[in-house]
Amino acid sequence: MIGLTTLDLVAVLGFFICWKGYSWSADYGPLQHTSIDTAMNHHRRRWIRTMLGRELRVIDTTIVANLINGVGFFASTTILIIGGLLAMLGAGDLAVRTLAALPYETTTTLTLWQIKILLLVVIFIHAFFKFAWSLRLTNYCSTLIGGAPYPPLEEAVIERYSTNVAELANLAGLHMNRGVRSYFFGLAAISWIYHPALLIVATLWVTVTVYRREFRSRARTAICAVLKE
């Protein structure tokens, strides 16, 4: 009745293993200390220390405003995507007939179609929660920057304030990155609509692409090089 095949189960299981396994390795595992996000964490702390030495902080409020706009864009876009996916649930009969006319497409039942769409809904709901929390953390960070004491400051005050505010900014960046990562894997999950073998290929391709950008990209090399100056 459902129409799930062994290949479907293998593809979905491999999808979650790659997504969650990579996320754990990048955020908590042995790869954590060499990622582009870890390098950015050091830059955020240096930013807050520099901010505490400035009396005019227009540039800092502008940076925070840009961060809030970026996260807010992803959060609002995710809501639209979820709404579109829910609307697709009502077009199951037409979708099944359309897919059946495509070459190499495996037999898709109405129930299986709904399962595929619900998987996408879950992925993008997960992304929305990440973006929404990142947005709140960024707003909290903006409040702490607005209430930061003006120079001259003792080194102990600078160290304590910069460490804690940077930690909040780093958490916002971490959840933002997880939300974007959900987008990447969500795009891979779309391929399951056509064929489970395509899902396997798309999942591997996304995993390699995300890894290369976070650990082997020229952007990471440039960011780490600045730390050495």
Side-chain angles (χ1 to χ4, degrees):
M1 293 296 294
I2 296 178
L4 278 171
T5 65
T6 302
L7 186 59
D8 285 308
L9 296 175
V10 170
V12 173
L13 180 61
F15 171 80
F16 279 106
I17 289 176
C18 287
W19 180 18
K20 293 305 178 181
Y22 174 82
S23 296
W24 180 86
S25 298
D27 295 338
Y28 301 108
L31 297 177
Q32 175 188 5
H33 302 292
T34 59
S35 70
I36 190 173
D37 294 300
T38 299
M40 284 304 303
N41 290 344
H42 295 291
H43 284 292
R44 292 189 187 99
R45 184 174 181 181
R46 189 167 69 171
W47 164 38
I48 301 301
R49 288 184 65 91
T50 303
M51 180 271 299
L52 291 173
R54 284 194 287 258
E55 292 188 0
L56 186 62
R57 295 170 177 170
V58 177
I59 184 173
D60 305 295
T61 56
T62 302
I63 292 172
V64 174
N66 288 334
L67 293 174
I68 292 175
N69 289 336
V71 180
F73 168 78
F74 275 103
S76 58
T77 302
T78 307
I79 289 294
L80 296 177
I81 293 174
I82 294 172
L85 290 171
L86 292 176
M88 290 176 66
L89 288 173
D93 293 330
L94 177 60
V96 170
R97 292 196 302 270
T98 301
L99 289 171
L102 296 175
Y104 306 110
E105 196 272 338
T106 57
T107 302
T108 300
T109 64
L110 179 59
T111 303
L112 183 55
W113 163 262
Q114 293 171 341
I115 291 174
K116 292 176 179 179
I117 299 302
L118 286 175
L119 173 62
L120 292 172
V121 171
V122 170
I123 293 172
F124 284 99
I125 286 177
H126 176 270
F128 173 76
F129 274 98
K130 293 300 178 182
F131 291 132
W133 185 233
S134 178
L135 184 61
R136 291 186 64 181
L137 291 176
T138 307
N139 276 282
Y140 297 155
C141 187
S142 69
T143 302
L144 294 179
I145 289 176
Y150 284 96
L153 299 171
E154 297 180 358
E155 181 60 30
V157 176
I158 295 176
E159 181 67 20
R160 182 178 67 253
Y161 207 90
S162 62
T163 299
N164 289 286
V165 177
E167 177 65 20
L168 193 62
N170 291 340
L171 286 173
L174 174 65
H175 287 278
M176 173 68 176
N177 186 51
R178 289 176 176 173
V180 173
R181 193 180 293 154
S182 298
Y183 261 54
F184 279 107
F185 282 94
L187 293 175
I190 293 175
S191 62
W192 187 30
I193 293 176
Y194 182 69
H195 199 284
L198 189 59
L199 173 59
I200 295 175
V201 174
T203 299
L204 293 175
W205 177 73
V206 166
T207 304
V208 172
T209 299
V210 174
Y211 171 79
R212 184 183 60 81
R213 291 184 176 180
E214 293 191 15
F215 296 95
R216 293 291 184 267
S217 64
R218 287 183 293 177
R220 176 192 171 278
T221 301
I223 290 172
C224 291
V226 174
L227 293 173
K228 297 176 182 179
E229 293 180 355

